[in-house]
Amino acid sequence: MTEALLDVQDLKKYFPIRRGVLQRVVGQVRAVDGITFSVMPGETLGVVGESGCGKSTMARTILRLLEPTSGKVEFEGKNVVGLSKNEMRAMRREMQIVFQDPYASLNPRYTIGKTLLEPMEIHHLHTASARKQRVADLLDRVGLDPDYTNRFAHEFSGGQRQRIGIARALTVNPKLLILDEPVAALDVSVQSQVLNLLKDLQDDLDLTYIFVAHDLSVVRYISDRVLVLYLGHMAELADADEVFADPLHPYTRALLSAVPVTDPDQKRERIILKGDLPSPANPPAGCPFHTRCPAAMEICSKQVPAWQEAKPGHLVACHLYQ
Amino acid sequence: MSVQNASAAIGGASKSQKKSRGALFWKSVRKFPMVYVGGLIVFLLVICAVFAPVLALHNPITQYQNGLHMDGTPVGPSKFFPFGADDVGRDVYSRLIYGSRVSLIVGFVATAISLLIGTTLGLISGYFGGFIDTVIMRITDTILAFPFLLFALALVTILGSSLTNVLIAIGILGWGVMARVVRGQVLSVKEFEYVQAARALGASTPRILFRVILPNILGPIIVLATLAVSQNILVEAGLSFLGVGVQPPTPSWGNMIYAGVQDYQFAPWLMVYPGVALLLAVLGFNLLGDGLRDILDPRNATH
Amino acid sequence: MSNVLEVKDLEIQFEIDEKYYSAVKDVSFYIREGETLGLVGESGCGKSVTSLSIMRLLQDTAKVSGAILYNGENLLELGPAKMRGIRGNEISMIFQEPMTSLNPVHRIGRQIGESLMLHKGLSASEARLEAIELLRKVGIPRPDEVVDDYPHQFSGGMRQRVMIAIAMACQPKLLIADEPTTALDVTIQAQILDLMRKLAAENNMAILLITHDLGVVAEMCDRVAVMYAGKIMEQGPVREVFRNPQNPYTIGLMNSIPKLEGPRMRLQPIEGNVPSVRNMPQGCRFAARCPYVMDICREQDPGLLGAGPEHISRCWLQADREVQTQ
């Protein structure tokens, strides 16, 4: 069996809630509360969930843009948590991130050339002339005209900016790319262009992806395996086809049934969840989903369901399968 | 979607047409004509200061015998003394021209000092947050709570009256507002994903602070600095008026007004001309600062 | 059934650098009583501007021409006072951002009751009772308690329910919903769509639903109009258009969406970008991105041509098909 590229174990990220003049800690927002998974080289792990499920926080914590509260993040066997500043800087060449908002993720004062040159300067990669050549190659690779180097971010459309964001992440030749809602802000026709680009890049450059999104059909399209999160907890993890064909967790089922489909004749059984997401500052006892779960039992409000295999390769945290 | 958003969507499409930042800047300058007036005044002021030896008719510290009447009172405006002479027979016009040098030096250098301190502290405070932020902001509050002129007065008294000491006093007391504003800007800019992206790429903290964040908050800093220049010119005039600023015979608008106050009943020009000069200078910088604020405000940006 | 709203040859122009450009042109559609029409398209296609022009909420610099007939009366010719009598009373609107469309400093009961006091002449206490009733109707728990809460005490989904309560207060004949669920999570979106469908059926209210999500259109609408670059490209009954799309743009949109079921095929994106308002192509506006483009497409706009009962498409290919069927 091949070694996992990334191994995340019991990752937690709590944000303190401070109140009053003395800024005393009065509580904690449990944004990510014990997440364990691994990613194999060359695969795409899709991470889905609604806002507040902790998927973006998880992405940033893996990269240590946020310091994890506890847990391990091992990249090729090396724990990223606890690396010194210099070791971390070297590690950043291996793992890169693409953000959601193509308007906020590019520095408005930089030209595109500068945006792409800077990472290579930071890591002292290549000679000056080789860097320029690489910028041109990267732009060409993501489907942009290499003559654009002297333009500023505001001169580009959302889709073009997202291509630049992807090129920036690729400048340092990373092995793992964390894609945090990379197409959520784009129009459908542009969204498919970017999705296809990501697939092609993965094939050509042997990239491994963690693809974070709220759009289930997008996740289905791009992922090999899918992890469903709810309120900072793992609900379900399995092969993409398996998750969509035979969802086990009631939350996954509700999520799938809620997606509007483009076929006006398709009458599906729709599960409409009651109520809102509970606050992660004050999560329910037991299973975090039991307050909205149509299949809730007595045990669900008392005991946290174990994370276990319900079918081969299909993990789920739900009392229905224990 | 609001009405603004709707029109922004339309404006947004037009943005793809290439137009340089410079061209856009000058286009918005036309919408705010007062910035011209301010800019013109400041420009003339700089000309006065730089070309003072050419523009002045006489030596500003030479005491002319024909500047005084037989009874020792100064002569009024004439061909030889366009703005009259002062109580020891010096040419008011020439002193006024040379006085602009003091005002501008104080205005620019003192502002530069407080800008350096304020921007650095504001950047650090806003970026790191937490304990560092609390400490720096409490110090800032303390500085802001000082009665500015009074403390400058005390400081200059201790250090001794000289142009250099005035600069230092104004400079190290004036950074409070700068630090506050810069910190606020940093707080909003550091949340942008391009800052996160720079961190993810392994950029060092100084690089993020000075090469990523700073260029994006330059607009408000420029506006604030322009307004600070006018304030500092006034403070220098105040200190000189109180006798602790620039020492005679070196001319400064403040000490000229001070000298003029005693004789204002029979020689009003002694006070009026430096007073008007001071007013114009302050007005010029204020108009420029306000205008720049309007132009640099993205809500007023022309697409 | 009679038409609640009829838009005829609508053109909306905006000034950019002292020149006027058409953001919306040749837009005509109608909505029958109690019917839901979807106006779908990508950002910048003019769908939101169109909805704002119906409410006459565009800024004064926008030039609007054509006719917008509400129960036979042209809204574009009404005086400000008469228009105010229609807004929020006969025609209501809900927006995308439930966070910013409620006033943060007023209690929600007051915000709901405001239009009742304004249009129906209710007293403050009557309006409050009515507000509680409306909150109950839109499915907010404990309405008699939360009526005195402020917007920040509500979640995004709950705020959108409050917005709907405000819009429903005067039992309007037409609800304009501009991306009402775009900012919400899918499970909350399902709740809100469900609620809108229920309320529309109960009150025989027509809905103009503006969205970029074809799935939402398929679930909610009776008929759909697909917009591109300021023009309607295809219009017809939802089933017709989704089952048998005629316009290459509609087909392109359908092919570029990943599906939840079936084999995972490579997506077929529409290449290129939307043209800018400043230089709209002379002929068909989709010509530059169309896989079936012909010479005539670049020169002349085909106009809307019949493709079936109530089904029209703006495409030269349609012209050929029409000839063939004759």
Side-chain angles (χ1 to χ4, degrees):
Chain A
M1 216 180 122
T2 45
E3 288 279 295
L5 184 70
L6 184 80
D7 204 17
V8 176
Q9 280 170 38
D10 201 23
L11 188 68
K12 288 183 184 172
K13 175 64 190 173
Y14 295 173
F15 295 98
I17 306 170
R18 295 173 194 276
R19 290 267 161 72
V21 191
L22 296 173
Q23 297 287 292
R24 269 185 321 128
V25 177
V26 296
Q28 282 174 324
V29 174
R30 300 168 173 222
V32 173
D33 204 3
I35 288 181
T36 301
F37 64 86
S38 53
V39 188
M40 294 295 153
E43 83 164 338
T44 298
L45 177 75
V47 180
V48 274
E50 298 178 282
S51 47
C53 75
K55 54 191 192 298
S56 278
T57 308
M58 186 202 80
R60 284 167 167 74
T61 311
I62 289 173
L63 285 171
R64 274 185 70 196
L65 290 175
L66 294 169
E67 282 303 321
T69 306
S70 69
K72 262 202 222 170
V73 176
E74 284 186 350
F75 185 87
E76 292 184 325
K78 197 172 182 185
N79 193 354
V80 174
V81 182
L83 284 186
S84 74
K85 253 188 171 174
N86 283 330
E87 289 170 316
M88 195 60 219
R89 186 163 304 162
M91 182 59 83
R92 295 206 183 285
R93 282 186 56 190
E94 311 284 346
M95 301 191 278
Q96 274 302 312
I97 183 165
V98 175
F99 295 95
Q100 167 178 1
D101 187 343
Y103 290 86
S105 60
L106 297 179
N107 189 335
R109 303 270 159 180
Y110 281 12
T111 61
I112 299 318
K114 190 167 179 203
T115 300
L116 298 183
L117 281 173
E118 188 171 50
M120 293 186 265
E121 284 168 13
I122 292 170
H123 292 285
H124 309 290
L125 303 175
H126 317 298
T127 62
S129 62
R131 281 177 195 165
K132 278 197 178 146
Q133 185 53 45
R134 179 143 174 80
V135 167
D137 291 346
L138 279 166
L139 284 174
D140 185 52
R141 190 67 203 71
V142 298
L144 291 173
D145 189 335
D147 293 339
Y148 285 163
T149 43
N150 290 324
R151 299 213 184 167
F152 287 92
H154 70 96
E155 297 172 46
F156 294 92
S157 69
Q160 289 173 317
R161 286 175 198 224
Q162 205 55 302
R163 288 172 193 266
I164 296 164
I166 293 169
R168 174 177 59 193
L170 294 177
T171 46
V172 293
N173 271 325
K175 292 191 181 118
L176 174 70
L177 217 52
I178 297 186
L179 303 147
D180 187 4
E181 297 269 16
V183 297
L186 306 177
D187 275 319
V188 278
S189 70
V190 181
Q191 178 176 314
S192 50
Q193 293 173 6
V194 174
L195 287 174
N196 281 351
L197 172 67
L198 287 171
K199 281 207 155 189
D200 295 344
L201 289 172
Q202 182 167 39
D203 292 344
D204 296 353
L205 306 172
D206 293 324
L207 293 168
T208 306
Y209 290 160
I210 295 180
F211 191 99
V212 177
H214 71 279
D215 186 326
L216 289 153
S217 39
V218 167
V219 168
R220 175 173 186 260
Y221 178 66
I222 199 127
S223 309
D224 298 311
R225 285 189 305 144
V226 172
L227 171 65
V228 183
L229 297 183
Y230 184 79
L231 213 65
H233 291 262
M234 295 183 295
E236 189 160 0
L237 172 67
D239 278 351
D241 292 324
E242 170 79 9
V243 166
F244 285 88
D246 184 22
L248 295 180
H249 199 286
Y251 175 63
T252 316
R253 288 184 182 168
L255 207 56
L256 277 172
S257 84
V259 181
V261 291
T262 49
D263 185 346
D265 286 330
Q266 194 187 346
K267 287 282 168 259
R268 293 174 310 153
E269 190 200 348
R270 162 161 298 203
I271 308 161
I272 293 188
L273 290 179
K274 279 173 285 173
D276 285 323
L277 198 75
S279 158
N282 188 16
C287 171
F289 186 56
H290 84 262
T291 51
R292 302 171 75 195
C293 183
M297 302 174 291
E298 216 190 310
I299 187 173
C300 300
S301 58
K302 292 180 184 143
Q303 203 180 322
V304 181
W307 178 243
Q308 59 184 40
E309 233 173 14
K311 283 163 80 176
H314 195 150
L315 289 129
V316 64
C318 180
H319 287 295
L320 288 175
Y321 306 98
Q322 314 213 325
Chain B
M1 185 147 145
S2 68
V3 179
Q4 281 91 342
N5 280 346
S7 62
I10 288 151
S14 69
K15 261 195 228 160
S16 58
Q17 296 199 332
K18 200 168 160 65
K19 194 170 255 183
S20 74
R21 274 161 186 277
L24 282 174
F25 181 82
W26 287 113
K27 205 175 142 83
S28 21
V29 167
R30 263 189 283 143
K31 281 195 351 198
F32 301 99
M34 287 320 273
V35 83
Y36 273 131
V37 180
L40 189 69
I41 294 175
V42 171
F43 176 71
L44 290 178
L45 205 61
V46 173
I47 294 288
C48 275
V50 174
F51 296 103
V54 185
L55 292 169
L57 296 172
H58 310 290
N59 184 323
I61 54 172
T62 308
Q63 304 182 359
Y64 292 91
Q65 290 217 316
N66 58 352
L68 298 173
H69 289 297
M70 295 304 280
D71 60 358
T73 56
V75 300
S78 66
K79 220 173 186 178
F80 193 75
F81 300 118
F83 290 174
D86 73 0
D87 56 345
V88 288
R90 294 173 297 205
D91 177 29
V92 171
Y93 167 74
S94 303
R95 288 178 67 75
L96 209 58
I97 294 288
Y98 273 92
S100 68
R101 289 187 158 184
V102 171
S103 289
L104 278 191
I105 288 173
V106 173
F108 287 136
V109 178
T111 305
I113 295 173
S114 34
L115 204 59
L116 196 71
I117 304 174
T119 309
T120 312
L121 289 180
L123 276 170
I124 293 172
S125 187
Y127 186 72
F128 291 102
F131 182 69
I132 298 175
D133 182 33
T134 312
V135 170
I136 293 179
M137 278 303 113
R138 289 304 84 78
I139 296 172
T140 311
D141 288 344
T142 317
I143 284 281
L144 285 171
F146 284 177
F148 188 36
L149 192 63
L150 228 56
F151 263 83
L153 195 67
L155 210 57
V156 175
T157 316
I158 297 165
L159 297 173
S161 310
S162 77
L163 182 59
T164 322
N165 291 343
V166 169
L167 286 176
I168 293 172
I170 299 178
I172 60 175
L173 288 173
W175 56 265
V177 181
M178 312 254 184
R180 271 257 182 93
V181 171
V182 169
R183 172 180 174 268
Q185 292 290 323
V186 173
L187 283 182
S188 74
V189 168
K190 80 167 178 180
E191 292 305 322
F192 277 106
E193 284 170 342
Y194 57 79
V195 179
Q196 301 276 314
R199 285 185 60 206
L201 285 163
S204 63
T205 308
R207 188 181 190 107
I208 291 174
L209 281 179
F210 293 103
R211 296 187 58 179
V212 179
I213 296 180
L214 189 60
N216 279 295
I217 59 173
L218 269 185
I221 294 180
I222 290 170
V223 172
L224 204 64
T226 318
L227 296 174
V229 169
S230 77
Q231 199 207 341
N232 291 342
I233 290 176
L234 270 181
V235 172
E236 179 277 324
L239 290 176
S240 297
F241 179 84
L242 295 170
V244 297
V246 177
Q247 292 303 301
T250 312
S252 127
W253 294 345
N255 64 28
M256 288 171 74
I257 295 174
Y258 173 65
V261 167
Q262 295 153 352
D263 302 333
Y264 86 99
Q265 274 174 323
F266 53 91
W269 58 87
L270 288 185
M271 200 175 75
V272 169
Y273 288 113
V276 169
L278 191 61
L279 181 86
L280 279 177
V282 170
L283 184 73
F285 278 103
N286 279 343
L287 285 177
L288 187 64
D290 282 342
L292 285 175
R293 167 156 52 211
D294 290 340
I295 290 168
L296 295 173
D297 187 337
R299 279 168 294 185
N300 291 327
T302 348
H303 292 300
Chain C
M1 262 189 291
S2 60
N3 294 336
V4 180
L5 187 81
E6 202 172 341
V7 173
K8 282 181 178 167
D9 300 324
L10 183 69
E11 176 166 16
I12 304 169
Q13 294 177 302
F14 286 98
E15 192 193 326
I16 303 166
D17 296 339
E18 286 131 42
K19 261 180 157 172
Y20 276 92
Y21 296 92
S22 298
V24 164
K25 210 180 172 198
D26 302 330
V27 164
S28 301
F29 59 85
Y30 57 88
I31 307 175
R32 297 189 192 99
E33 247 177 55
E35 181 187 54
T36 299
L37 174 75
L39 202 53
V40 66
E42 299 175 278
S43 49
C45 73
K47 56 189 193 298
S48 284
V49 181
T50 303
S51 71
L52 290 169
S53 74
I54 297 170
M55 288 293 259
R56 298 257 310 271
L57 287 174
L58 290 170
Q59 64 265 59
D60 296 339
T61 51
K63 277 207 278 193
V64 183
S65 60
I68 297 172
L69 303 173
Y70 173 75
N71 282 337
E73 196 173 18
N74 191 350
L75 296 183
L76 293 178
E77 286 164 2
L78 286 190
K82 271 200 151 172
M83 196 59 221
R84 276 198 300 273
I86 287 187
R87 269 187 221 134
N89 186 23
E90 310 258 330
I91 307 178
S92 293
M93 192 158 182
I94 52 176
F95 297 93
Q96 174 177 346
E97 271 306 329
M99 299 296 162
T100 52
S101 25
L102 286 168
N103 189 333
V105 300
H106 292 314
R107 297 175 194 280
I108 58 151
R110 178 177 160 186
Q111 298 192 49
I112 299 172
E114 206 166 16
S115 63
L116 289 166
M117 289 158 69
L118 192 70
H119 295 298
K120 302 285 184 215
L122 264 56
S123 71
S125 56
E126 287 168 332
R128 191 188 133 90
L129 287 177
E130 187 63 34
I132 294 173
E133 194 44 46
L134 282 160
L135 286 172
R136 180 170 296 129
K137 271 191 192 152
V138 296
I140 291 183
R142 298 176 291 112
D144 36 352
E145 290 170 38
V146 300
V147 69
D148 293 321
D149 283 354
Y150 289 95
H152 72 264
Q153 294 167 280
F154 291 78
S155 68
M158 284 296 156
R159 275 183 235 209
Q160 200 58 298
R161 284 176 191 267
V162 173
M163 280 306 297
I164 293 174
I166 294 174
M168 295 300 299
C170 297
Q171 294 173 319
K173 287 275 140 227
L174 174 66
L175 175 71
I176 300 176
D178 189 353
E179 303 268 10
T181 56
T182 305
L184 306 175
D185 283 316
V186 274
T187 58
I188 307 296
Q189 163 169 290
Q191 294 173 355
I192 297 293
L193 294 180
D194 207 45
L195 174 71
M196 283 174 61
R197 213 168 9 219
K198 197 183 95 201
L199 291 173
E202 280 172 9
N203 299 296
N204 194 29
M205 176 179 70
I207 300 179
L208 175 61
L209 180 67
I210 289 129
T211 180
H212 69 281
D213 189 330
L214 291 172
V216 170
V217 171
E219 299 223 339
M220 289 289 290
C221 302
D222 302 303
R223 287 187 305 115
V224 59
V226 183
M227 281 187 84
Y228 179 79
K231 288 195 177 186
I232 289 182
M233 301 304 281
E234 183 161 5
Q235 191 175 168
V238 164
R239 175 170 311 203
E240 252 306 286
V241 173
F242 279 65
R243 275 288 152 102
N244 188 19
Q246 293 297 310
N247 196 285
Y249 176 63
T250 318
I251 297 169
L253 268 189
M254 303 259 190
N255 289 340
S256 61
I257 313 172
K259 306 282 184 297
L260 263 187
E261 277 156 5
R264 289 194 269 168
M265 311 250 271
R266 190 179 167 84
L267 298 174
Q268 306 285 317
I270 305 173
E271 297 303 334
N273 290 297
V274 181
S276 127
V277 252
R278 291 199 202 210
N279 37 40
M280 277 298 169
Q282 191 195 357
C284 172
R285 293 187 169 185
F286 188 59
R289 303 174 74 188
C290 183
Y292 311 105
V293 63
M294 302 175 290
D295 286 343
I296 189 166
C297 303
R298 301 185 205 279
E299 284 153 25
Q300 218 178 327
D301 186 299
L304 283 160
L305 302 162
E310 286 200 280
H311 188 173
I312 43 176
S313 165
R314 185 185 295 278
C315 182
W316 282 113
L317 291 173
Q318 207 63 47
D320 294 346
R321 281 185 212 128
E322 265 195 341
V323 172
Q324 281 164 14
T325 51
Q326 266 167 10

